[in-house]
Amino acid sequence: MPTDSITPAEDASTKADLPPVEELLSNAVEAVGGVERPGQIKMVQAVQHSIQSGEHLAVQAGTGTGKSLAYLIPSIRHAMTAEGAVVVSTATIALQRQLVDRDLPRLSEALAPHLPHQPTFAILKGRRNYLCRYKASAGWPDEEQDQLFDPGEVSATGRMIQRIQEWAQETETGDRDELVPGVNEQAWRQFSVSARECLGAPRCPNGTECFAELARARAGESDIVVTNHALLAIDAMEDFPLLPEHDVVVVDEAHELVDRVTSVVTGELSETMVALTVRRAGKLIDQNLADRLMEAGEDLKSLLAVAPAGRVDELPSVLGLTLALIRDSAWACITAMGPRASGDKDDPESAGLRKAAFTALDEIHDTAQRMLDAFGHAEEVDRAEVVWLEAATERRPPLLRVAPLTVAGMLRDKLFGDRTVILTSATLALGGAFDGLARQWGLGAKEGAGWTGLDVGSPFDHPRSGILYIAKHLPQPGRDGLPEAYLEEITELIEAAGGRTLGLFSSMRAAKAATEALRERLSVPLLCQGDDSTMLLVKQFTEDEPTCLFGTLSLWQGVDVPGPSLRLVIIDRIPFPRPDDPLTSARQRHVAAKGGNGFMTVAATHAALLLAQGAGRLLRSQHDKGVVAVLDPRLATARYAGFLRDSLPPFWPTNDPAKVRDALKRLTSS
């Protein structure tokens, strides 16, 4: 924790006395045994300017730039004299852990001699991520074990609950991510509460030892607070603050911000949710009201069981009546429960049960209302949200979802409105420009209107280190699996590379089909995502050079394998979203209705982002070399191909398969 406090009178002089960011960067790089890079220096200066000017900054920094240091150093310098912390938000647990376990401890120690006090830091997650001591001890009657379809799942969940109970006796943080192996959501919900369900520290019998409150207290006393995009979004949009006071936010992995925020604000409704709500509220209200809500849920179940999955463009009258009945029944229950702050202050258990009931009732009431409000607009441009039906799976019944067609306005007003935001990633300039993502963030398309874009490049020599091979001679990919020509092409490329291949496929079905077909043709080991945990598969792929690994979306962005184990990245097709994806198709239609190009704004931007992320798997260190092979000829021939290619690293391009095979053979023999 900080040992020195800075009074307002000392603030101005202290700020002037702080070393410039360039000097702090030199000190830090020397202390950790690294080397300063031109892009890193350019980025640290740009971030410092953004913090000083209040202008938002989007900065693309290629792999190997050292962007973590480049944004952490100006952030720490600012936190030395600011009234609050600087918040650093990431999309993945892996980057959170890298920052908290490696980057920040080393940086804190390196900068301590040059700053007023040793920089401090903490990690903060949403309340659902922490064990609730009171819920664990009170044994509330929760949640969905009896709703699981598979008896084996119920048994497995029971074993997980027992593991959580044992872990609860020894954990010092209560952080779910420290429970290894992990547990499913059904088990964890028995021991956690959302921010809306929480009694609050003053009323909770375990308030003084609450894991979530202790984490917040640590964050409130720290210079740097590391969190995730979901909590950042909730903090910005809720009426109550979840993060400490802050005026600067750094959004790392910013290419995922829109998807993570969309996920946070997506609502869902199913018969299971209604039944759970009745269980929570049933003992607190008249039985007739509970029965009425339960019947509305059963009506919804009957409707969804026979309805086709997909986007709901027009509201069927019977669905409208059912949603209205759920909304009104939930409201009747809310009203019957009386004041939210009832006279049960001395009975925490009753207070907890009441709050859980109110939270569940509010959720289904508000979601039903959102779904009704999504319809009835005279023009497509007036529509704000889209509703769709997701088909049942083995683990859950069918459910309705509702999501906003854009989160740009939400982000503009709630996140960017009263704080300075630095957004960074290795992939932000799509088609060579930042305007596509800037529009999605709500910043507007034109730089200079409150934001600046900067590409600091990469320390890698892409044209000398990598080849972009587009298999222009292949047929266009179809819907009936991988053509024989694709399998032959993959076989020849992998044989030339001696294995050492990461295959990125647009669907799990394609990855599995390719794996099955090629295991008979190849002599090298071939792993497929799903054979084991992704972490173990990547470890095996990394440690055994000839091994190949095939998979889908999480591998496009989550694999970091420097060295000779990865010489070839194969991408089977341009990763456009599925044409029948409800949300992206609705967003395309909405953009078109407003006079824009829906395909380029939504589908092509999505594809460019994933392509760039996938191609970025190849070079992870200065000594890496290899080939990115895109089998989809549309990357060479389609009208949008230039936009997609301009989003990729500047590899040396070719369409000649013989040149590529020869290059891979030379690499293999070197």
Side-chain angles (χ1 to χ4, degrees):
M1 302 300 167
T3 54
D4 302 311
S5 60
I6 301 174
T7 66
E10 297 172 319
D11 180 80
S13 60
T14 305
K15 199 166 191 175
D17 293 341
L18 290 174
V21 290
E22 295 87 351
E23 183 180 327
L24 291 174
L25 177 63
S26 294
N27 293 330
V29 170
E30 182 180 355
V32 301
V35 178
E36 286 185 67
R37 303 177 179 95
Q40 189 179 46
I41 297 170
K42 191 184 299 185
M43 180 173 174
V44 82
Q45 293 170 338
V47 173
Q48 175 67 7
H49 174 75
S50 175
I51 291 173
Q52 290 177 332
S53 67
E55 185 176 64
H56 305 306
L57 172 68
V59 54
Q60 177 168 283
T63 302
T65 302
K67 64 181 169 67
S68 296
L69 282 186
Y71 65 67
L72 286 173
I73 285 171
S75 297
I76 288 171
R77 187 181 187 278
H78 175 70
M80 289 291 112
T81 55
E83 293 182 2
V86 171
V87 171
V88 176
S89 178
T90 77
T92 61
I93 293 172
L95 181 54
Q96 283 184 20
R97 294 258 62 99
Q98 176 189 314
L99 290 172
V100 173
D101 295 340
R102 191 189 74 181
D103 295 350
L104 280 165
R106 296 165 68 190
L107 187 57
S108 174
E109 187 175 341
L111 296 184
H114 311 283
L115 295 172
H117 64 257
Q118 181 163 346
T120 58
F121 54 90
I123 188 168
L124 186 61
K125 304 174 184 179
R127 192 171 289 269
R128 271 282 186 200
N129 291 276
Y130 298 98
L131 181 94
C132 173
R133 289 186 187 271
Y134 178 58
K135 188 171 185 180
S137 62
W140 292 357
D142 221 23
E143 305 269 321
E144 304 122 278
Q145 281 193 71
D146 58 346
Q147 303 290 341
L148 293 169
F149 290 359
D150 183 354
E153 288 283 345
V154 175
S155 177
T157 298
R159 291 192 294 272
M160 290 177 185
I161 288 173
Q162 185 174 355
R163 275 207 301 116
I164 298 171
Q165 290 169 332
E166 294 168 356
W167 171 76
Q169 304 303 313
E170 58 188 40
T171 178
E172 296 181 1
T173 66
D175 186 339
R176 177 181 180 177
D177 292 328
E178 294 181 8
L179 181 58
V180 179
V183 296
N184 65 29
E185 190 64 21
Q186 285 78 20
W188 183 251
R189 280 183 177 272
Q190 318 301 311
F191 300 88
S192 67
V193 296
S194 67
R196 291 180 178 274
E197 293 169 325
C198 177
L199 282 174
R203 299 189 65 189
C204 178
N206 299 88
T208 57
E209 53 182 1
C210 170
F211 289 123
E213 291 296 328
L214 291 172
R216 283 194 69 195
R218 287 191 294 270
E221 297 173 349
S222 301
D223 297 312
I224 303 294
V225 176
V226 178
T227 189
N228 55 64
H229 294 352
L231 186 61
L232 181 70
I234 296 169
D235 176 75
M237 294 167 196
E238 291 286 3
D239 295 330
F240 46 88
L242 301 173
L243 295 169
E245 190 73 24
H246 60 282
D247 60 0
V248 173
V249 176
V250 177
V251 181
D252 202 342
E253 301 175 308
H255 61 279
E256 293 202 47
L257 180 63
V258 169
D259 285 346
R260 298 302 173 108
V261 172
T262 299
S263 180
V264 166
V265 296
T266 296
E268 60 182 52
L269 193 60
S270 69
E271 180 269 337
T272 302
M273 293 178 62
V274 176
L276 177 59
T277 300
V278 172
R279 288 177 60 189
R280 287 184 169 185
K283 295 181 180 179
L284 306 175
I285 57 175
D286 183 80
Q287 187 62 44
N288 289 334
L289 290 175
D291 289 345
R292 182 178 160 200
L293 181 55
M294 182 64 86
E295 289 169 5
E298 290 171 354
D299 289 346
L300 181 67
K301 178 181 180 180
S302 300
L303 278 177
L304 300 188
V306 297
R311 200 174 67 211
V312 183
D313 289 332
E314 300 294 333
L315 181 64
S317 58
V318 64
L319 178 58
L321 291 171
T322 303
L323 290 173
L325 183 57
I326 291 173
R327 176 199 62 191
D328 296 343
S329 300
W331 182 252
C333 294
I334 291 170
T335 304
M337 285 178 60
R340 292 177 184 254
S342 60
D344 53 10
K345 294 182 180 179
D346 297 326
D347 184 359
E349 184 172 351
S350 296
L353 293 172
R354 282 178 59 80
K355 193 149 192 183
F358 272 123
T359 300
L361 287 165
D362 287 340
E363 184 175 357
I364 63 171
H365 171 275
D366 295 349
T367 303
Q369 186 62 61
R370 279 179 67 185
M371 290 176 175
L372 290 167
D373 291 342
F375 301 97
H377 303 288
E379 301 290 341
E380 174 61 33
V381 293
D382 299 323
R383 193 191 295 263
E385 299 206 285
V386 59
V387 175
W388 71 96
L389 172 61
E390 259 185 36
T393 68
E394 292 181 0
R395 304 180 68 174
R396 62 155 180 77
L399 55 82
L400 279 176
R401 292 190 186 274
V402 57
L405 288 166
T406 175
V407 295
M410 208 178 297
L411 289 172
R412 180 179 60 246
D413 298 339
K414 302 293 187 179
L415 179 61
F416 297 102
D418 55 1
R419 53 181 64 85
T420 304
V421 182
I422 293 100
L423 306 111
T424 185
S425 169
T427 309
L428 293 181
L430 303 179
F434 291 90
D435 55 348
L437 286 178
R439 276 194 296 264
Q440 293 185 18
W441 296 328
L443 293 178
K446 293 184 179 179
E447 290 188 49
W451 70 277
T452 299
L454 174 68
D455 183 355
V456 300
S458 166
F460 302 153
D461 188 345
H462 285 91
R464 289 181 177 271
S465 301
I467 295 173
L468 173 64
Y469 166 52
I470 304 172
K472 188 177 178 181
H473 63 283
L474 290 179
Q476 284 197 20
R479 297 185 177 182
D480 301 323
L482 290 172
E484 175 61 26
Y486 278 51
L487 295 173
E488 291 177 1
E489 186 81 22
I490 295 172
T491 301
E492 292 174 357
L493 289 169
I494 291 177
E495 287 176 341
R500 301 176 175 84
T501 299
L502 177 66
L504 302 177
F505 292 83
S506 53
S507 71
M508 201 64 237
R509 185 180 68 173
K512 288 180 177 178
T515 303
E516 290 175 10
L518 294 173
R519 275 178 175 158
E520 300 175 359
R521 308 184 187 199
L522 294 168
S523 59
V524 296
L526 180 50
L527 307 175
C528 185
Q529 191 175 3
D531 290 347
D532 205 332
S533 76
T534 300
M535 181 179 68
L536 290 176
L537 291 173
V538 172
K539 184 174 184 291
Q540 186 175 343
F541 174 59
T542 305
E543 294 176 351
D544 184 30
E545 281 190 26
T547 296
C548 302
L549 174 60
F550 287 2
T552 185
L553 192 59
S554 61
L555 297 187
W556 285 73
Q557 304 183 75
V559 175
D560 187 5
V561 181
S565 291
L566 178 54
R567 292 299 195 205
L568 172 63
V569 175
I570 293 177
I571 297 174
D572 70 327
R573 64 191 298 160
I574 298 171
F576 290 120
R578 288 172 56 96
D580 59 353
D581 179 82
L583 183 54
T584 53
S585 62
R587 284 176 166 172
Q588 278 188 230
R589 184 179 63 179
H590 189 68
V591 170
K594 296 172 74 172
N597 186 323
F599 172 79
M600 293 300 296
T601 302
V602 179
T605 295
H606 171 95
L609 195 55
L610 274 181
L611 269 179
Q613 286 287 312
R617 300 309 96 200
L618 181 66
L619 304 184
R620 309 303 294 178
S621 74
Q622 292 279 5
H623 305 293
D624 290 348
K625 294 181 182 296
V627 172
V628 174
V630 181
L631 307 185
D632 190 336
R634 292 175 296 177
L635 190 58
T637 60
R639 68 185 187 285
Y640 48 78
F643 171 78
L644 297 179
R645 291 196 302 271
D646 287 344
S647 305
L648 296 173
F651 297 118
W652 183 77
T654 183
N655 300 325
D656 187 336
K659 287 183 179 178
V660 172
R661 291 193 296 270
D662 288 344
L664 286 170
K665 289 174 183 176
R666 287 195 299 272
L667 275 177
T668 303
S669 60
S670 63

